[in-house]
Amino acid sequence: MIKFFRRIRQKLLSENRVSKYTLYAIGEIVLVVLGILIALQINNWNERRKNEVKAKDYLASIQADLYQDLQEIESMKNWKTRVYCFLKAFPDLHLSKNAISKYVGLNLDETNCEITYRFMFNYEKSFRSNSSAFDAIISEGNANLISDKTLFSKIQYHYKFNNPAMLDLYNNHRAQSSILKHKYAHLITFEPYTNITEIKDSTLIADLNVFYSEKQMYVNQLFRIERVINEAITEINAELNE
């Protein structure tokens, strides 16, 4: 093709046809510019496609991590009967049993309970979110690849706010557990009552109120996180299926 255009130029020059040569030169420049523009357009299209693929890979990885988080939350739910049995055993605890039943799907009146001294001030398992995919997209500077900014904000809120807040609640909950276990070590060790529900000590009941209020805050936050995760997974599915 290049040789073809070169022969045309040489022919026009040899025939001293300057005006036609000028038009030809302009036409050749236009063709070159068009070729460059088309090449750039194709290159931009290819880059967009690569970025879209990369964004979906990131979202798929984040979604996989969120599914792991749901499994982690599910594995933590074995405490729920034990926790709410204490609330049932001590009617003087000033916590909303109806609200608690709503959160966990338990009917306290129909729940078979067996409570022990050992679990009276037990702290719950720590929830630790798997953030490897989110950390990767941030460290690689590719957060801008996620076109749905509302979705990314929700994901970012989960990892940057929910998780640290959950950790703070857990640390407070665990510290309170240690304090109360030490304070009531004699009670837990010697188990002076045949039935734990016979305990009427007003100071102990007050401490149980504080402890289970903090426990409820921890549990409620966990269920809020579960809802946010499920919403994020649904929105990621919509993005991946576009």
Side-chain angles (χ1 to χ4, degrees), residues 170-206:
Y170 170 76
N171 288 335
N172 291 336
H173 176 54
R174 183 171 181 174
Q176 188 69 13
S177 171
S178 298
I179 291 169
L180 292 174
K181 280 182 177 179
H182 179 75
K183 181 177 180 178
Y184 293 101
H186 64 288
L187 188 70
I188 297 170
T189 303
F190 297 109
E191 301 182 1
Y193 297 93
T194 304
N195 191 324
I196 198 172
T197 59
E198 296 174 11
I199 297 174
K200 301 300 180 184
D201 183 276
S202 59
T203 302
L204 174 59
I205 295 297

PDB file of all heavy atoms in Angstrom, residues 170-206:
ATOM      1  N   TYR A 170     -16.462  -5.716  70.245  1.00  0.00           N
ATOM      2  CA  TYR A 170     -15.957  -6.997  70.744  1.00  0.00           C
ATOM      3  C   TYR A 170     -14.939  -6.790  71.860  1.00  0.00           C
ATOM      4  O   TYR A 170     -14.993  -7.472  72.892  1.00  0.00           O
ATOM      5  CB  TYR A 170     -15.317  -7.793  69.605  1.00  0.00           C
ATOM      6  CG  TYR A 170     -14.564  -9.010  70.090  1.00  0.00           C
ATOM      7  CD1 TYR A 170     -15.248 -10.148  70.498  1.00  0.00           C
ATOM      8  CD2 TYR A 170     -13.171  -9.003  70.159  1.00  0.00           C
ATOM      9  CE1 TYR A 170     -14.560 -11.264  70.958  1.00  0.00           C
ATOM     10  CE2 TYR A 170     -12.478 -10.108  70.623  1.00  0.00           C
ATOM     11  CZ  TYR A 170     -13.180 -11.243  71.020  1.00  0.00           C
ATOM     12  OH  TYR A 170     -12.489 -12.338  71.479  1.00  0.00           O
ATOM     13  N   ASN A 171     -14.007  -5.856  71.663  1.00  0.00           N
ATOM     14  CA  ASN A 171     -12.981  -5.605  72.682  1.00  0.00           C
ATOM     15  C   ASN A 171     -13.605  -5.120  73.997  1.00  0.00           C
ATOM     16  O   ASN A 171     -13.190  -5.545  75.083  1.00  0.00           O
ATOM     17  CB  ASN A 171     -11.975  -4.580  72.162  1.00  0.00           C
ATOM     18  CG  ASN A 171     -11.062  -5.158  71.087  1.00  0.00           C
ATOM     19  OD1 ASN A 171     -10.835  -6.369  71.038  1.00  0.00           O
ATOM     20  ND2 ASN A 171     -10.552  -4.307  70.215  1.00  0.00           N
ATOM     21  N   ASN A 172     -14.611  -4.249  73.895  1.00  0.00           N
ATOM     22  CA  ASN A 172     -15.316  -3.788  75.098  1.00  0.00           C
ATOM     23  C   ASN A 172     -16.044  -4.939  75.780  1.00  0.00           C
ATOM     24  O   ASN A 172     -16.030  -5.077  77.010  1.00  0.00           O
ATOM     25  CB  ASN A 172     -16.313  -2.679  74.744  1.00  0.00           C
ATOM     26  CG  ASN A 172     -15.628  -1.399  74.322  1.00  0.00           C
ATOM     27  OD1 ASN A 172     -14.480  -1.140  74.686  1.00  0.00           O
ATOM     28  ND2 ASN A 172     -16.322  -0.579  73.545  1.00  0.00           N
ATOM     29  N   HIS A 173     -16.683  -5.755  74.960  1.00  0.00           N
ATOM     30  CA  HIS A 173     -17.447  -6.907  75.453  1.00  0.00           C
ATOM     31  C   HIS A 173     -16.523  -7.900  76.162  1.00  0.00           C
ATOM     32  O   HIS A 173     -16.823  -8.377  77.268  1.00  0.00           O
ATOM     33  CB  HIS A 173     -18.141  -7.561  74.256  1.00  0.00           C
ATOM     34  CG  HIS A 173     -18.883  -8.809  74.573  1.00  0.00           C
ATOM     35  ND1 HIS A 173     -19.834  -8.885  75.559  1.00  0.00           N
ATOM     36  CD2 HIS A 173     -18.817 -10.055  74.025  1.00  0.00           C
ATOM     37  CE1 HIS A 173     -20.327 -10.115  75.606  1.00  0.00           C
ATOM     38  NE2 HIS A 173     -19.719 -10.833  74.699  1.00  0.00           N
ATOM     39  N   ARG A 174     -15.383  -8.169  75.569  1.00  0.00           N
ATOM     40  CA  ARG A 174     -14.432  -9.117  76.156  1.00  0.00           C
ATOM     41  C   ARG A 174     -13.825  -8.557  77.451  1.00  0.00           C
ATOM     42  O   ARG A 174     -13.656  -9.299  78.434  1.00  0.00           O
ATOM     43  CB  ARG A 174     -13.330  -9.437  75.152  1.00  0.00           C
ATOM     44  CG  ARG A 174     -12.346 -10.470  75.662  1.00  0.00           C
ATOM     45  CD  ARG A 174     -11.397 -10.916  74.575  1.00  0.00           C
ATOM     46  NE  ARG A 174     -10.472 -11.912  75.076  1.00  0.00           N
ATOM     47  CZ  ARG A 174      -9.588 -12.569  74.314  1.00  0.00           C
ATOM     48  NH1 ARG A 174      -9.527 -12.327  73.010  1.00  0.00           N
ATOM     49  NH2 ARG A 174      -8.786 -13.469  74.857  1.00  0.00           N
ATOM     50  N   ALA A 175     -13.504  -7.277  77.453  1.00  0.00           N
ATOM     51  CA  ALA A 175     -12.936  -6.655  78.653  1.00  0.00           C
ATOM     52  C   ALA A 175     -13.931  -6.699  79.806  1.00  0.00           C
ATOM     53  O   ALA A 175     -13.562  -7.012  80.954  1.00  0.00           O
ATOM     54  CB  ALA A 175     -12.541  -5.213  78.349  1.00  0.00           C
ATOM     55  N   GLN A 176     -15.210  -6.405  79.512  1.00  0.00           N
ATOM     56  CA  GLN A 176     -16.248  -6.452  80.548  1.00  0.00           C
ATOM     57  C   GLN A 176     -16.412  -7.875  81.063  1.00  0.00           C
ATOM     58  O   GLN A 176     -16.604  -8.097  82.268  1.00  0.00           O
ATOM     59  CB  GLN A 176     -17.568  -5.934  79.973  1.00  0.00           C
ATOM     60  CG  GLN A 176     -18.679  -5.751  80.998  1.00  0.00           C
ATOM     61  CD  GLN A 176     -18.392  -4.609  81.951  1.00  0.00           C
ATOM     62  OE1 GLN A 176     -17.497  -3.807  81.730  1.00  0.00           O
ATOM     63  NE2 GLN A 176     -19.153  -4.539  83.037  1.00  0.00           N
ATOM     64  N   SER A 177     -16.316  -8.845  80.159  1.00  0.00           N
ATOM     65  CA  SER A 177     -16.414 -10.255  80.558  1.00  0.00           C
ATOM     66  C   SER A 177     -15.311 -10.611  81.553  1.00  0.00           C
ATOM     67  O   SER A 177     -15.563 -11.261  82.582  1.00  0.00           O
ATOM     68  CB  SER A 177     -16.323 -11.148  79.325  1.00  0.00           C
ATOM     69  OG  SER A 177     -16.201 -12.516  79.685  1.00  0.00           O
ATOM     70  N   SER A 178     -14.084 -10.194  81.265  1.00  0.00           N
ATOM     71  CA  SER A 178     -12.946 -10.495  82.141  1.00  0.00           C
ATOM     72  C   SER A 178     -13.132  -9.868  83.520  1.00  0.00           C
ATOM     73  O   SER A 178     -12.859 -10.501  84.552  1.00  0.00           O
ATOM     74  CB  SER A 178     -11.648  -9.992  81.512  1.00  0.00           C
ATOM     75  OG  SER A 178     -11.390 -10.640  80.293  1.00  0.00           O
ATOM     76  N   ILE A 179     -13.614  -8.629  83.547  1.00  0.00           N
ATOM     77  CA  ILE A 179     -13.819  -7.924  84.817  1.00  0.00           C
ATOM     78  C   ILE A 179     -14.855  -8.662  85.676  1.00  0.00           C
ATOM     79  O   ILE A 179     -14.651  -8.896  86.878  1.00  0.00           O
ATOM     80  CB  ILE A 179     -14.271  -6.471  84.554  1.00  0.00           C
ATOM     81  CG1 ILE A 179     -13.120  -5.664  83.948  1.00  0.00           C
ATOM     82  CG2 ILE A 179     -14.768  -5.815  85.839  1.00  0.00           C
ATOM     83  CD1 ILE A 179     -13.545  -4.305  83.416  1.00  0.00           C
ATOM     84  N   LEU A 180     -15.969  -9.040  85.043  1.00  0.00           N
ATOM     85  CA  LEU A 180     -17.053  -9.670  85.797  1.00  0.00           C
ATOM     86  C   LEU A 180     -16.708 -11.106  86.196  1.00  0.00           C
ATOM     87  O   LEU A 180     -17.111 -11.562  87.281  1.00  0.00           O
ATOM     88  CB  LEU A 180     -18.341  -9.637  84.978  1.00  0.00           C
ATOM     89  CG  LEU A 180     -18.929  -8.235  84.782  1.00  0.00           C
ATOM     90  CD1 LEU A 180     -20.115  -8.262  83.831  1.00  0.00           C
ATOM     91  CD2 LEU A 180     -19.332  -7.622  86.120  1.00  0.00           C
ATOM     92  N   LYS A 181     -15.972 -11.815  85.370  1.00  0.00           N
ATOM     93  CA  LYS A 181     -15.541 -13.160  85.751  1.00  0.00           C
ATOM     94  C   LYS A 181     -14.632 -13.112  86.975  1.00  0.00           C
ATOM     95  O   LYS A 181     -14.677 -13.991  87.843  1.00  0.00           O
ATOM     96  CB  LYS A 181     -14.814 -13.830  84.578  1.00  0.00           C
ATOM     97  CG  LYS A 181     -15.745 -14.401  83.521  1.00  0.00           C
ATOM     98  CD  LYS A 181     -14.953 -15.095  82.413  1.00  0.00           C
ATOM     99  CE  LYS A 181     -15.892 -15.720  81.397  1.00  0.00           C
ATOM    100  NZ  LYS A 181     -15.152 -16.388  80.298  1.00  0.00           N
ATOM    101  N   HIS A 182     -13.795 -12.105  87.036  1.00  0.00           N
ATOM    102  CA  HIS A 182     -12.920 -11.935  88.198  1.00  0.00           C
ATOM    103  C   HIS A 182     -13.741 -11.530  89.422  1.00  0.00           C
ATOM    104  O   HIS A 182     -13.532 -12.059  90.523  1.00  0.00           O
ATOM    105  CB  HIS A 182     -11.866 -10.869  87.896  1.00  0.00           C
ATOM    106  CG  HIS A 182     -10.935 -10.608  89.037  1.00  0.00           C
ATOM    107  ND1 HIS A 182      -9.921 -11.472  89.386  1.00  0.00           N
ATOM    108  CD2 HIS A 182     -10.884  -9.574  89.926  1.00  0.00           C
ATOM    109  CE1 HIS A 182      -9.273 -10.981  90.430  1.00  0.00           C
ATOM    110  NE2 HIS A 182      -9.833  -9.840  90.767  1.00  0.00           N
ATOM    111  N   LYS A 183     -14.660 -10.614  89.228  1.00  0.00           N
ATOM    112  CA  LYS A 183     -15.472 -10.119  90.342  1.00  0.00           C
ATOM    113  C   LYS A 183     -16.316 -11.232  90.957  1.00  0.00           C
ATOM    114  O   LYS A 183     -16.484 -11.290  92.196  1.00  0.00           O
ATOM    115  CB  LYS A 183     -16.371  -8.980  89.850  1.00  0.00           C
ATOM    116  CG  LYS A 183     -17.240  -8.363  90.930  1.00  0.00           C
ATOM    117  CD  LYS A 183     -18.039  -7.188  90.356  1.00  0.00           C
ATOM    118  CE  LYS A 183     -18.921  -6.544  91.432  1.00  0.00           C
ATOM    119  NZ  LYS A 183     -19.672  -5.376  90.895  1.00  0.00           N
ATOM    120  N   TYR A 184     -16.843 -12.119  90.111  1.00  0.00           N
ATOM    121  CA  TYR A 184     -17.732 -13.175  90.596  1.00  0.00           C
ATOM    122  C   TYR A 184     -17.086 -14.555  90.489  1.00  0.00           C
ATOM    123  O   TYR A 184     -17.771 -15.560  90.321  1.00  0.00           O
ATOM    124  CB  TYR A 184     -19.049 -13.144  89.812  1.00  0.00           C
ATOM    125  CG  TYR A 184     -19.852 -11.896  90.077  1.00  0.00           C
ATOM    126  CD1 TYR A 184     -19.853 -10.848  89.162  1.00  0.00           C
ATOM    127  CD2 TYR A 184     -20.578 -11.751  91.251  1.00  0.00           C
ATOM    128  CE1 TYR A 184     -20.578  -9.686  89.411  1.00  0.00           C
ATOM    129  CE2 TYR A 184     -21.316 -10.598  91.504  1.00  0.00           C
ATOM    130  CZ  TYR A 184     -21.305  -9.569  90.581  1.00  0.00           C
ATOM    131  OH  TYR A 184     -22.024  -8.413  90.836  1.00  0.00           O
ATOM    132  N   ALA A 185     -15.780 -14.590  90.631  1.00  0.00           N
ATOM    133  CA  ALA A 185     -15.052 -15.860  90.538  1.00  0.00           C
ATOM    134  C   ALA A 185     -15.550 -16.866  91.577  1.00  0.00           C
ATOM    135  O   ALA A 185     -15.668 -18.068  91.295  1.00  0.00           O
ATOM    136  CB  ALA A 185     -13.557 -15.618  90.716  1.00  0.00           C
ATOM    137  N   HIS A 186     -15.854 -16.388  92.780  1.00  0.00           N
ATOM    138  CA  HIS A 186     -16.313 -17.293  93.843  1.00  0.00           C
ATOM    139  C   HIS A 186     -17.649 -17.942  93.460  1.00  0.00           C
ATOM    140  O   HIS A 186     -17.887 -19.113  93.722  1.00  0.00           O
ATOM    141  CB  HIS A 186     -16.470 -16.513  95.154  1.00  0.00           C
ATOM    142  CG  HIS A 186     -17.519 -15.440  95.106  1.00  0.00           C
ATOM    143  ND1 HIS A 186     -17.356 -14.268  94.395  1.00  0.00           N
ATOM    144  CD2 HIS A 186     -18.767 -15.378  95.668  1.00  0.00           C
ATOM    145  CE1 HIS A 186     -18.424 -13.515  94.526  1.00  0.00           C
ATOM    146  NE2 HIS A 186     -19.303 -14.161  95.278  1.00  0.00           N
ATOM    147  N   LEU A 187     -18.513 -17.151  92.820  1.00  0.00           N
ATOM    148  CA  LEU A 187     -19.829 -17.657  92.420  1.00  0.00           C
ATOM    149  C   LEU A 187     -19.689 -18.702  91.316  1.00  0.00           C
ATOM    150  O   LEU A 187     -20.314 -19.774  91.368  1.00  0.00           O
ATOM    151  CB  LEU A 187     -20.687 -16.488  91.930  1.00  0.00           C
ATOM    152  CG  LEU A 187     -22.163 -16.796  91.639  1.00  0.00           C
ATOM    153  CD1 LEU A 187     -22.910 -17.055  92.926  1.00  0.00           C
ATOM    154  CD2 LEU A 187     -22.792 -15.623  90.893  1.00  0.00           C
ATOM    155  N   ILE A 188     -18.858 -18.402  90.321  1.00  0.00           N
ATOM    156  CA  ILE A 188     -18.657 -19.310  89.194  1.00  0.00           C
ATOM    157  C   ILE A 188     -17.958 -20.588  89.648  1.00  0.00           C
ATOM    158  O   ILE A 188     -18.254 -21.688  89.168  1.00  0.00           O
ATOM    159  CB  ILE A 188     -17.847 -18.604  88.084  1.00  0.00           C
ATOM    160  CG1 ILE A 188     -18.638 -17.407  87.538  1.00  0.00           C
ATOM    161  CG2 ILE A 188     -17.492 -19.566  86.967  1.00  0.00           C
ATOM    162  CD1 ILE A 188     -17.833 -16.501  86.626  1.00  0.00           C
ATOM    163  N   THR A 189     -17.030 -20.469  90.608  1.00  0.00           N
ATOM    164  CA  THR A 189     -16.247 -21.621  91.060  1.00  0.00           C
ATOM    165  C   THR A 189     -17.044 -22.537  91.981  1.00  0.00           C
ATOM    166  O   THR A 189     -17.059 -23.760  91.791  1.00  0.00           O
ATOM    167  CB  THR A 189     -14.970 -21.147  91.794  1.00  0.00           C
ATOM    168  OG1 THR A 189     -14.209 -20.315  90.922  1.00  0.00           O
ATOM    169  CG2 THR A 189     -14.129 -22.338  92.240  1.00  0.00           C
ATOM    170  N   PHE A 190     -17.741 -21.965  92.948  1.00  0.00           N
ATOM    171  CA  PHE A 190     -18.388 -22.776  93.973  1.00  0.00           C
ATOM    172  C   PHE A 190     -19.860 -23.071  93.691  1.00  0.00           C
ATOM    173  O   PHE A 190     -20.451 -23.945  94.341  1.00  0.00           O
ATOM    174  CB  PHE A 190     -18.231 -22.088  95.342  1.00  0.00           C
ATOM    175  CG  PHE A 190     -16.802 -21.964  95.773  1.00  0.00           C
ATOM    176  CD1 PHE A 190     -16.176 -20.730  95.786  1.00  0.00           C
ATOM    177  CD2 PHE A 190     -16.066 -23.084  96.138  1.00  0.00           C
ATOM    178  CE1 PHE A 190     -14.852 -20.595  96.173  1.00  0.00           C
ATOM    179  CE2 PHE A 190     -14.742 -22.969  96.524  1.00  0.00           C
ATOM    180  CZ  PHE A 190     -14.124 -21.731  96.534  1.00  0.00           C
ATOM    181  N   GLU A 191     -20.476 -22.348  92.767  1.00  0.00           N
ATOM    182  CA  GLU A 191     -21.866 -22.586  92.369  1.00  0.00           C
ATOM    183  C   GLU A 191     -22.761 -22.804  93.595  1.00  0.00           C
ATOM    184  O   GLU A 191     -23.290 -23.904  93.820  1.00  0.00           O
ATOM    185  CB  GLU A 191     -21.949 -23.784  91.424  1.00  0.00           C
ATOM    186  CG  GLU A 191     -21.112 -23.603  90.164  1.00  0.00           C
ATOM    187  CD  GLU A 191     -21.227 -24.773  89.197  1.00  0.00           C
ATOM    188  OE1 GLU A 191     -21.975 -25.715  89.493  1.00  0.00           O
ATOM    189  OE2 GLU A 191     -20.571 -24.715  88.133  1.00  0.00           O
ATOM    190  N   PRO A 192     -22.939 -21.782  94.410  1.00  0.00           N
ATOM    191  CA  PRO A 192     -23.632 -21.950  95.697  1.00  0.00           C
ATOM    192  C   PRO A 192     -25.131 -22.230  95.598  1.00  0.00           C
ATOM    193  O   PRO A 192     -25.728 -22.734  96.539  1.00  0.00           O
ATOM    194  CB  PRO A 192     -23.388 -20.602  96.390  1.00  0.00           C
ATOM    195  CG  PRO A 192     -23.170 -19.634  95.267  1.00  0.00           C
ATOM    196  CD  PRO A 192     -22.480 -20.403  94.201  1.00  0.00           C
ATOM    197  N   TYR A 193     -25.730 -21.941  94.446  1.00  0.00           N
ATOM    198  CA  TYR A 193     -27.169 -22.158  94.308  1.00  0.00           C
ATOM    199  C   TYR A 193     -27.424 -23.434  93.505  1.00  0.00           C
ATOM    200  O   TYR A 193     -26.747 -23.711  92.516  1.00  0.00           O
ATOM    201  CB  TYR A 193     -27.840 -20.975  93.602  1.00  0.00           C
ATOM    202  CG  TYR A 193     -27.723 -19.672  94.369  1.00  0.00           C
ATOM    203  CD1 TYR A 193     -26.667 -18.798  94.106  1.00  0.00           C
ATOM    204  CD2 TYR A 193     -28.665 -19.328  95.326  1.00  0.00           C
ATOM    205  CE1 TYR A 193     -26.550 -17.604  94.803  1.00  0.00           C
ATOM    206  CE2 TYR A 193     -28.556 -18.122  96.020  1.00  0.00           C
ATOM    207  CZ  TYR A 193     -27.491 -17.273  95.757  1.00  0.00           C
ATOM    208  OH  TYR A 193     -27.383 -16.098  96.452  1.00  0.00           O
ATOM    209  N   THR A 194     -28.419 -24.186  93.963  1.00  0.00           N
ATOM    210  CA  THR A 194     -28.791 -25.399  93.230  1.00  0.00           C
ATOM    211  C   THR A 194     -29.266 -25.040  91.832  1.00  0.00           C
ATOM    212  O   THR A 194     -28.945 -25.701  90.849  1.00  0.00           O
ATOM    213  CB  THR A 194     -29.909 -26.160  93.975  1.00  0.00           C
ATOM    214  OG1 THR A 194     -29.466 -26.440  95.301  1.00  0.00           O
ATOM    215  CG2 THR A 194     -30.249 -27.462  93.254  1.00  0.00           C
ATOM    216  N   ASN A 195     -30.029 -23.971  91.754  1.00  0.00           N
ATOM    217  CA  ASN A 195     -30.529 -23.478  90.473  1.00  0.00           C
ATOM    218  C   ASN A 195     -30.067 -22.036  90.319  1.00  0.00           C
ATOM    219  O   ASN A 195     -30.303 -21.205  91.199  1.00  0.00           O
ATOM    220  CB  ASN A 195     -32.057 -23.560  90.439  1.00  0.00           C
ATOM    221  CG  ASN A 195     -32.605 -23.301  89.038  1.00  0.00           C
ATOM    222  OD1 ASN A 195     -32.064 -22.483  88.291  1.00  0.00           O
ATOM    223  ND2 ASN A 195     -33.688 -23.987  88.698  1.00  0.00           N
ATOM    224  N   ILE A 196     -29.416 -21.751  89.219  1.00  0.00           N
ATOM    225  CA  ILE A 196     -28.858 -20.417  88.995  1.00  0.00           C
ATOM    226  C   ILE A 196     -29.923 -19.325  89.025  1.00  0.00           C
ATOM    227  O   ILE A 196     -29.640 -18.169  89.340  1.00  0.00           O
ATOM    228  CB  ILE A 196     -28.078 -20.394  87.659  1.00  0.00           C
ATOM    229  CG1 ILE A 196     -27.147 -19.184  87.616  1.00  0.00           C
ATOM    230  CG2 ILE A 196     -29.012 -20.414  86.481  1.00  0.00           C
ATOM    231  CD1 ILE A 196     -26.209 -19.203  86.426  1.00  0.00           C
ATOM    232  N   THR A 197     -31.161 -19.703  88.736  1.00  0.00           N
ATOM    233  CA  THR A 197     -32.240 -18.707  88.711  1.00  0.00           C
ATOM    234  C   THR A 197     -32.628 -18.253  90.119  1.00  0.00           C
ATOM    235  O   THR A 197     -33.416 -17.315  90.261  1.00  0.00           O
ATOM    236  CB  THR A 197     -33.481 -19.272  88.009  1.00  0.00           C
ATOM    237  OG1 THR A 197     -33.929 -20.448  88.703  1.00  0.00           O
ATOM    238  CG2 THR A 197     -33.178 -19.613  86.564  1.00  0.00           C
ATOM    239  N   GLU A 198     -32.082 -18.901  91.154  1.00  0.00           N
ATOM    240  CA  GLU A 198     -32.358 -18.496  92.533  1.00  0.00           C
ATOM    241  C   GLU A 198     -31.587 -17.229  92.922  1.00  0.00           C
ATOM    242  O   GLU A 198     -31.845 -16.631  93.964  1.00  0.00           O
ATOM    243  CB  GLU A 198     -31.991 -19.630  93.501  1.00  0.00           C
ATOM    244  CG  GLU A 198     -32.835 -20.883  93.322  1.00  0.00           C
ATOM    245  CD  GLU A 198     -32.344 -22.030  94.196  1.00  0.00           C
ATOM    246  OE1 GLU A 198     -31.481 -21.771  95.076  1.00  0.00           O
ATOM    247  OE2 GLU A 198     -32.801 -23.161  94.001  1.00  0.00           O
ATOM    248  N   ILE A 199     -30.635 -16.837  92.087  1.00  0.00           N
ATOM    249  CA  ILE A 199     -29.828 -15.653  92.391  1.00  0.00           C
ATOM    250  C   ILE A 199     -30.714 -14.408  92.388  1.00  0.00           C
ATOM    251  O   ILE A 199     -31.394 -14.126  91.406  1.00  0.00           O
ATOM    252  CB  ILE A 199     -28.690 -15.488  91.370  1.00  0.00           C
ATOM    253  CG1 ILE A 199     -27.731 -16.688  91.441  1.00  0.00           C
ATOM    254  CG2 ILE A 199     -27.930 -14.186  91.602  1.00  0.00           C
ATOM    255  CD1 ILE A 199     -26.668 -16.679  90.365  1.00  0.00           C
ATOM    256  N   LYS A 200     -30.690 -13.691  93.522  1.00  0.00           N
ATOM    257  CA  LYS A 200     -31.492 -12.469  93.636  1.00  0.00           C
ATOM    258  C   LYS A 200     -30.630 -11.262  94.022  1.00  0.00           C
ATOM    259  O   LYS A 200     -31.169 -10.193  94.300  1.00  0.00           O
ATOM    260  CB  LYS A 200     -32.599 -12.657  94.675  1.00  0.00           C
ATOM    261  CG  LYS A 200     -33.567 -13.804  94.372  1.00  0.00           C
ATOM    262  CD  LYS A 200     -34.275 -13.603  93.038  1.00  0.00           C
ATOM    263  CE  LYS A 200     -35.233 -14.769  92.765  1.00  0.00           C
ATOM    264  NZ  LYS A 200     -35.875 -14.650  91.424  1.00  0.00           N
ATOM    265  N   ASP A 201     -29.333 -11.451  94.046  1.00  0.00           N
ATOM    266  CA  ASP A 201     -28.427 -10.377  94.451  1.00  0.00           C
ATOM    267  C   ASP A 201     -28.590  -9.179  93.515  1.00  0.00           C
ATOM    268  O   ASP A 201     -28.397  -9.293  92.298  1.00  0.00           O
ATOM    269  CB  ASP A 201     -26.989 -10.896  94.419  1.00  0.00           C
ATOM    270  CG  ASP A 201     -25.998  -9.850  94.891  1.00  0.00           C
ATOM    271  OD1 ASP A 201     -25.611  -9.015  94.044  1.00  0.00           O
ATOM    272  OD2 ASP A 201     -25.621  -9.864  96.064  1.00  0.00           O
ATOM    273  N   SER A 202     -28.927  -8.036  94.085  1.00  0.00           N
ATOM    274  CA  SER A 202     -29.226  -6.857  93.260  1.00  0.00           C
ATOM    275  C   SER A 202     -27.994  -6.357  92.509  1.00  0.00           C
ATOM    276  O   SER A 202     -28.105  -5.876  91.368  1.00  0.00           O
ATOM    277  CB  SER A 202     -29.796  -5.738  94.131  1.00  0.00           C
ATOM    278  OG  SER A 202     -28.876  -5.372  95.150  1.00  0.00           O
ATOM    279  N   THR A 203     -26.805  -6.466  93.138  1.00  0.00           N
ATOM    280  CA  THR A 203     -25.579  -6.030  92.467  1.00  0.00           C
ATOM    281  C   THR A 203     -25.277  -6.918  91.269  1.00  0.00           C
ATOM    282  O   THR A 203     -24.908  -6.425  90.191  1.00  0.00           O
ATOM    283  CB  THR A 203     -24.385  -6.056  93.450  1.00  0.00           C
ATOM    284  OG1 THR A 203     -24.677  -5.226  94.567  1.00  0.00           O
ATOM    285  CG2 THR A 203     -23.114  -5.567  92.755  1.00  0.00           C
ATOM    286  N   LEU A 204     -25.451  -8.226  91.456  1.00  0.00           N
ATOM    287  CA  LEU A 204     -25.225  -9.161  90.355  1.00  0.00           C
ATOM    288  C   LEU A 204     -26.214  -8.902  89.216  1.00  0.00           C
ATOM    289  O   LEU A 204     -25.833  -8.896  88.037  1.00  0.00           O
ATOM    290  CB  LEU A 204     -25.355 -10.600  90.849  1.00  0.00           C
ATOM    291  CG  LEU A 204     -25.289 -11.688  89.773  1.00  0.00           C
ATOM    292  CD1 LEU A 204     -23.973 -11.636  89.008  1.00  0.00           C
ATOM    293  CD2 LEU A 204     -25.502 -13.067  90.391  1.00  0.00           C
ATOM    294  N   ILE A 205     -27.460  -8.687  89.555  1.00  0.00           N
ATOM    295  CA  ILE A 205     -28.476  -8.415  88.526  1.00  0.00           C
ATOM    296  C   ILE A 205     -28.123  -7.143  87.765  1.00  0.00           C
ATOM    297  O   ILE A 205     -28.251  -7.076  86.532  1.00  0.00           O
ATOM    298  CB  ILE A 205     -29.876  -8.286  89.158  1.00  0.00           C
ATOM    299  CG1 ILE A 205     -30.321  -9.613  89.780  1.00  0.00           C
ATOM    300  CG2 ILE A 205     -30.891  -7.833  88.109  1.00  0.00           C
ATOM    301  CD1 ILE A 205     -30.473 -10.749  88.801  1.00  0.00           C
ATOM    302  N   ALA A 206     -27.634  -6.135  88.489  1.00  0.00           N
ATOM    303  CA  ALA A 206     -27.228  -4.883  87.832  1.00  0.00           C
ATOM    304  C   ALA A 206     -26.061  -5.126  86.885  1.00  0.00           C
ATOM    305  O   ALA A 206     -26.036  -4.603  85.758  1.00  0.00           O
ATOM    306  CB  ALA A 206     -26.846  -3.850  88.887  1.00  0.00           C
TER     307      ALA A 206
END
